[in-house]
Amino acid sequence: FVSGQELMQFFAEFGNYGLAGMILAVVLFCMLGFFVMSIAKQTGITEFDKIIIEKEKPWLRAFFGTLFIIFLFGVIVVMIAGAGALLHQVFGAPLFLGNAIMAFCIAFVALRGAKGVLDAFSITVPLLIMVALITGIMSMLNLERESLSTLDVSVTNPLLGNWLFSSIAFVSYNMIAATAILVPISSFVQEDKEIRKGIFQGSVQLLIIFICILLPLIAHRTTLIGSDLPMLVLAENVKPVLGNVYAALLFLGMFGSALSCLYGVTVRIKKRKNIPGNTLIPMLVAVAFIGSFAGFKELIAIIFPVCGYLGFFAMIGISLHYLSLRKKTLY
C-alpha cells in the first residue's frame, strides 16, 4: 500500500475520478468490516470460508478457502519482486539478486520457526505509515506539482477498466486479508456499537492515510509514471535522507508481509496435505522466487485485480450472510 504502486494503478491513474474511488473504497471498507465482525460475533464462526458462505456448501467454501491461499501466496511473490525493485532503485543491484536476498531471508527465518520476528513489525508498520504521511505532505508543499483540475484519465492496466470497478476490486482483495484479522478481534468486543465505533475510527484513519498518499501520487503522476515504487521516488526527491529511511522501512515492511503470508499459506496447506514444513517452505519460496521475475509493477497489475474480481463474490457472500442474520434477529 505505502509503496504507492497499488494506489497508482487502482486510483491515481484515473485522475480526479480516483478521488471518488478512494471515498467509495473507504465506505465499502467501513460497511464490510462491520458485516464481518458482526457475523463473527453473533455466530462465533472463526473460519474464513464459513464467514462468506452461510449454508453448508463444501465445494463453494473450498473455492474461497483456495482463493485465500492463492491470494496470500500472490502477496509473497509480489513482496519478493518488490524487494528486488527496491534494492535495484536504491543500490542499482540486479533485480534477480534483490529477489534472491528477500527469498533467502524469508525462507531462513520461516524454517527456523522464528515467529517472534513478526512482533517487530508491529513497530515497523506504524513507522512506515508515519514516514509515508510525512513524505506525502512534504512533497505537496515542496515539490512542483500538476493542477488536479487538469488531470486526465490515463489507465495503463486493461484489467482495471474504470474507476468504479477498480475501487471495488481494491476493496475486495484487501477484504480477503482483512477478514482474517477482523474475525479474531470480534470475540473481544461486547456490543455492536463498539464494533461500529472501532470500524468508524479505523475508516477515518484510513481516509487520512489515503488522502496523504493518493493526492501526492495524483499531483505528481507524470513524474512517477513508470516507477515501480512511486512513494520512494517522492521521498528521495523531497530529501535523500528521507528516501533512505523510507527505503529501509519499506524493505522491512515487505519482509514482514511476505513472512506473515508464508506462515498463513503453510498452516493452511498443512491442514489439507500432510507435508513437513521443512519441505513445504523451501518449495513455496522457490516457486515464489521464480514468479517474482515477472516484475513488481506487472504482478500488482495482474494478481491483485484478478483476486479482486474473484473476491467480489466473497463480498457478496458476506453481505448476504449478514443480511440473513439481520433478518433472523428482526423476526
Side-chain angles (χ1 to χ4, degrees):
F1 186 92
V2 291
S3 73
Q5 185 56 240
E6 287 176 65
L7 296 189
M8 178 66 78
Q9 292 193 31
F10 282 83
F11 298 98
E13 291 188 350
F14 295 97
N16 290 328
Y17 290 104
L19 297 175
M22 172 193 72
I23 294 171
L24 174 62
V26 173
V27 171
L28 290 175
F29 277 131
C30 185
M31 180 183 73
L32 291 167
F34 174 75
F35 286 178
V36 167
M37 291 194 71
S38 183
I39 292 169
K41 172 131 188 74
Q42 291 183 57
T43 62
I45 293 172
T46 57
E47 294 89 346
F48 172 79
D49 53 345
K50 291 183 180 179
I51 291 286
I52 298 172
I53 305 299
E54 180 183 15
K55 297 179 180 179
E56 287 294 334
K57 294 186 177 181
W59 66 272
L60 198 52
R61 287 180 174 175
F63 169 77
F64 286 114
T66 302
L67 175 62
F68 186 53
I69 293 174
I70 291 172
F71 174 71
L72 290 182
F73 182 74
V75 173
I76 300 171
V77 179
V78 170
M79 292 303 106
I80 292 175
L86 190 154
L87 295 177
H88 175 72
Q89 183 169 320
V90 176
F91 300 108
L95 288 173
F96 78 88
L97 178 60
N99 294 8
I101 290 173
M102 176 62 92
F104 174 80
C105 287
I106 62 174
F108 178 77
V109 173
L111 285 170
R112 290 179 65 87
K115 293 186 179 182
V117 173
L118 287 174
D119 294 337
F121 297 103
S122 63
I123 300 173
T124 301
V125 172
L127 283 176
L128 179 55
I129 292 173
M130 186 187 306
V131 174
L133 297 180
I134 292 170
T135 298
I137 293 169
M138 291 183 67
S139 69
M140 292 295 286
L141 296 175
N142 300 322
L143 300 180
E144 184 178 349
R145 60 183 185 272
E146 303 170 59
S147 172
L148 296 178
S149 61
T150 60
L151 287 173
D152 296 323
V153 175
S154 178
V155 182
T156 58
N157 188 349
L159 292 178
L160 302 173
N162 59 61
W163 68 270
L164 180 60
F165 287 163
S166 182
S167 179
I168 293 173
F170 180 81
V171 172
S172 295
Y173 76 77
N174 275 291
M175 280 303 301
I176 291 175
T179 299
I181 299 169
L182 293 172
V183 169
I185 296 174
S186 64
S187 62
F188 298 99
V189 182
Q190 298 299 319
E191 300 177 5
D192 274 2
K193 66 179 182 180
E194 292 182 31
I195 296 177
R196 291 190 185 95
K197 181 180 177 181
I199 291 291
F200 177 75
Q201 290 176 349
S203 299
V204 170
Q205 293 172 24
L206 178 61
L207 181 62
I208 293 170
I209 296 170
F210 247 135
I211 292 172
C212 291
I213 297 178
L214 182 57
L215 273 181
L217 291 178
I218 295 175
H220 302 96
R221 190 177 64 182
T222 303
T223 305
L224 299 173
I225 284 179
S227 62
D228 280 335
L229 304 165
M231 284 302 293
L232 179 56
V233 172
L234 282 182
E236 291 171 338
N237 288 342
V238 170
K239 279 189 181 296
V241 66
L242 182 62
N244 293 335
V245 172
Y246 203 106
L249 290 173
L250 189 57
F251 183 87
L252 291 174
M254 289 177 172
F255 177 79
S257 295
L259 186 61
S260 59
C261 288
L262 180 59
Y263 282 132
V265 172
T266 303
V267 168
R268 283 163 177 79
I269 290 180
K270 280 183 177 179
K271 286 182 179 179
R272 302 185 180 193
K273 304 288 183 180
N274 188 22
I275 304 175
N278 57 2
T279 300
L280 180 59
I281 288 172
M283 287 173 53
L284 290 171
V285 174
V287 174
F289 172 67
I290 294 171
S292 69
F293 285 103
F296 182 61
K297 181 169 62 175
E298 291 75 14
L299 286 166
I300 286 179
I302 297 172
I303 292 176
F304 290 169
V306 170
C307 286
Y309 289 131
L310 292 175
F312 176 67
F313 295 101
M315 300 309 100
I316 293 176
I318 289 171
S319 300
L320 292 175
H321 193 167
Y322 172 78
L323 292 174
S324 174
L325 291 176
R326 181 74 173 168
K327 185 177 180 180
K328 291 176 184 177
T329 303
L330 293 174
Y331 299 102

